[in-house]
Amino acid sequence: MFLKYDIKCPTNITSNDQIGFGVAKWSHIKEFYETDNTNPNFLFAPCLKQEHLNPNTKQKMKVKLAAQVLSHSVAAGMYAKMSQGELSS
């Protein structure tokens, strides 16, 4: 479902008594993968491979691949890349 649709979730940021919303997109995962693989010496998420980003029909149903994409190491790597300014927040 995350491949097809964006996820809109509330954030802790409020302005004028309105709750802010963040949007998670599959393109964010792809952008992270591309920037993470530019340095061959250190990878934040070494478990991510091309099959995670472009799964075939059978791979889309595998929970293992989904768990690897949405893992703590990928999230931590994305936060690190955002803090370095390599990814947009």
Side-chain angles (χ1 to χ4, degrees):
M1 294 300 286
F2 189 43
L3 287 168
K4 285 185 176 182
Y5 304 105
D6 298 338
I7 298 172
K8 187 176 178 181
C9 45
T11 63
N12 294 333
I13 301 170
T14 59
S15 176
N16 298 331
D17 295 328
Q18 293 181 349
I19 298 174
F21 286 95
V23 177
K25 298 180 180 182
W26 188 252
S27 62
H28 295 146
I29 303 284
K30 284 187 173 185
E31 183 181 357
F32 168 69
Y33 176 77
E34 291 167 2
T35 58
D36 192 34
N37 285 328
T38 57
N39 183 4
N41 297 326
F42 180 75
L43 296 175
F44 282 103
C47 66
L48 281 184
K49 306 289 181 222
Q50 273 298 94
E51 65 184 17
H52 293 96
L53 300 177
N54 301 314
N56 60 28
T57 308
K58 194 172 186 179
Q59 290 171 332
K60 286 181 183 179
M61 300 302 291
K62 296 224 178 243
V63 175
K64 178 181 176 180
L65 292 178
Q68 289 173 344
V69 170
L70 301 174
S71 69
H72 176 72
S73 62
V74 173
M78 290 181 81
Y79 283 130
K81 293 284 185 181
M82 281 186 255
S83 67
Q84 293 173 352
E86 295 181 30
L87 282 179
S88 63
S89 58

